[in-house]
Amino acid sequence: AAAAGASSSTGAPKPRLEITHPLSKMRGLYLHGDVGCGKSHLMDMLYNEIPTAISKKRVHFHQFMQAVHKDMHAIKQTHGRTMDGDQLMREVAKKQCRDAEVLCFDELVVADVADAMILRRLFENMYAVGVCTIFTSNRAPPELYKDGLNREAFLPFISLLGDRCHVHDMSSGTDHRLAGTKTETFLQPVNEANTKRFEAEWRARTKGDPEKSVNLTVFGRSVPIKRAAHGACRFTFRDLCNSDMGVADYSEIAKAFHTVFLEDVPQLPPGNSDAKRRFITLLDELYQYKTKAFVLANVPLEQLETPHGDDDGAVPAHDQNEETFYAGQLIGAGEDKFQMRRAISRLQEMRTEEYARAPHLGSAVAK
């Protein structure tokens, strides 16, 4: 491959890494389309049909990037300044491809500038090591990281995706998550009757066991869970979303508990807000591990986001600009609306009997 990447210290274009491994010459698949069109379901079917003789791994894309940054930190700690950026990417790529000839990435989204700046080098090195990739995303490759900071440095990754994967648009105009038979796991509004039902569900799920406080360990620090019983845990919206919790904390909760009870969920603001971003991330993790959720909310599911121009009673947004930062990410207004629509669609599926019957995946998702 002869396309140029970033410039070297001398100012000359830095050539794209030559990919010669036979396995990487097999083009993978990039599935994209609107929420609920069946991308992840199709990828799972493909994953399950891969012969057992071929090593494989399926992982949510942001969990993969978490692991990449963790590996980068560990390697830097070991080698200090003796290793340059290219060597670092080679070592990370080797580790990520060590146990898999086929890697399936669910929900590719790029909103973090730190991720955007390393993806081309990371995946070039992974293809050089030898791997076939399958992606799902709500965005076509040219739409990834749209309007992001320093996007021109990200564009070679888009070209690489086109080189290494067949791209297929699965948009159908149908959200299949709405098709299942609904169960009463989303209660609204917060009133005496629904509060009693919520409490009754909690007692039923916990088999009447006494509540206790447990601690989860996330990257060496303790995350207290104040109310837990019989594999279920219970929080208020403020506990989880108006706190300093992040994706790693939500991931551990989703893995550790088969059911999460979440109460006092308010109507959320139309712009970007820390609380809303955390809520969306929490739902992503619960959905990924097939963790069951019981929700007590102030408004109907379809009205979780306040209409523009009507934010009475909503959680205040820290910034109502068209573009705003959250946890190092630049989120455009269009992307923010889309992410909230995807979250509501997922909650719709999480209310179905089909989802209720699905086994809790625990730590199995990342294997």
Side-chain angles (χ1 to χ4, degrees):
S7 295
S8 68
S9 59
T10 63
K14 193 171 187 178
R16 179 182 289 181
L17 186 66
E18 191 71 23
I19 297 172
T20 59
H21 195 285
L23 184 60
S24 295
K25 291 187 176 183
M26 179 183 297
R27 294 183 73 189
L29 187 61
Y30 185 104
L31 303 171
H32 68 93
D34 209 348
V35 295
C37 68
K39 304 178 299 293
S40 297
H41 181 67
L42 179 57
M43 186 179 75
D44 288 342
M45 291 174 63
L46 291 170
Y47 182 86
N48 292 332
E49 292 300 320
I50 294 173
T52 55
I54 298 175
S55 57
K56 59 185 179 180
K57 181 165 67 174
R58 181 198 185 281
V59 63
H60 197 278
F61 190 76
H62 75 68
Q63 291 173 336
F64 166 73
M65 291 308 300
Q66 269 191 294
V68 165
H69 287 292
K70 188 175 180 180
D71 288 345
M72 290 173 64
H73 177 73
I75 293 169
K76 287 177 181 177
Q77 291 290 99
T78 301
H79 295 276
R81 297 186 178 182
T82 62
M83 181 176 288
D84 64 24
D86 290 331
Q87 291 173 314
L88 176 63
M89 284 297 105
R90 281 196 292 272
E91 291 304 312
V92 172
K94 288 177 184 177
K95 186 168 183 180
Q96 290 299 323
C97 298
R98 184 177 299 159
D99 302 318
E101 296 169 288
V102 177
L103 276 170
C104 296
F105 298 103
D106 197 23
E107 298 286 354
L108 169 59
V109 61
V110 184
D112 190 318
V113 64
D115 291 346
M117 294 304 102
I118 67 171
L119 281 174
R120 191 265 303 173
R121 285 191 299 163
L122 173 63
F123 274 85
E124 279 186 352
N125 278 281
M126 288 171 61
Y127 290 129
V129 170
V131 70
C132 181
T133 53
I134 300 172
F135 298 90
T136 71
S137 179
N138 296 118
R139 299 297 191 210
E143 299 296 311
L144 291 170
Y145 196 54
K146 192 173 183 180
D147 302 321
L149 289 173
N150 199 18
R151 189 172 187 262
E152 64 277 5
F154 175 77
L155 296 179
F157 175 65
I158 295 177
S159 298
L160 184 64
L161 286 175
D163 290 343
R164 308 301 338 141
C165 297
H166 296 282
V167 178
H168 182 67
D169 184 357
M170 290 189 62
S171 297
S172 65
T174 300
D175 187 344
H176 297 287
R177 293 171 181 160
L178 305 180
T181 305
K182 297 296 184 290
T183 60
E184 295 299 325
T185 59
F186 187 96
L187 303 175
Q188 60 79 33
V190 178
N191 56 26
E192 183 178 359
N194 282 330
T195 299
K196 286 181 177 179
R197 291 171 67 188
F198 191 79
E199 294 292 344
E201 289 289 354
W202 171 253
R203 290 192 298 271
R205 287 283 170 155
T206 59
K207 310 295 184 185
D209 287 356
E211 295 180 15
K212 60 182 178 180
S213 177
V214 300
N215 289 297
L216 302 179
T217 301
V218 180
F219 294 140
R221 58 183 173 80
S222 180
V223 177
I225 310 298
K226 295 179 182 179
R227 304 183 68 178
H230 204 76
C233 59
R234 181 169 174 173
F235 303 93
T236 65
F237 180 88
R238 184 176 295 275
D239 291 336
L240 290 183
C241 303
N242 284 355
S243 66
D244 59 357
M245 284 193 176
V247 60
D249 305 300
Y250 301 144
S251 181
E252 288 302 315
I253 291 169
K255 286 188 287 186
F257 298 97
H258 57 68
T259 306
V260 172
F261 280 72
L262 184 63
E263 55 190 309
D264 297 330
V265 175
Q267 194 172 43
L268 299 165
N272 203 343
S273 75
D274 288 355
K276 184 162 73 172
R277 295 301 306 167
R278 288 192 177 98
F279 181 65
I280 291 170
T281 302
L282 169 66
L283 292 179
D284 283 346
E285 292 304 309
L286 298 181
Y287 183 86
Q288 178 72 4
Y289 291 103
K290 294 295 181 284
T291 305
K292 311 308 177 283
F294 281 81
V295 178
L296 180 59
N298 288 329
V299 294
L301 177 54
E302 297 79 7
Q303 298 174 23
L304 272 180
E305 184 173 48
T306 309
H308 284 271
D310 178 18
D311 58 0
D312 291 344
V315 173
H318 74 279
D319 191 342
Q320 295 290 345
N321 294 332
E322 284 299 295
E323 289 182 339
T324 179
F325 281 103
Y326 169 70
Q329 299 180 7
L330 182 66
I331 305 294
E335 182 67 20
D336 174 74
K337 293 176 186 176
F338 173 80
Q339 294 296 335
M340 191 63 201
R341 186 157 54 89
R342 182 170 63 86
I344 291 173
S345 173
R346 285 192 161 178
L347 267 175
Q348 292 278 19
E349 183 180 350
M350 292 167 76
R351 297 171 64 193
T352 64
E353 291 181 358
E354 292 79 3
Y355 185 90
R357 290 194 295 267
H360 179 234
L361 298 180
S363 60
V365 145
K367 291 183 179 178

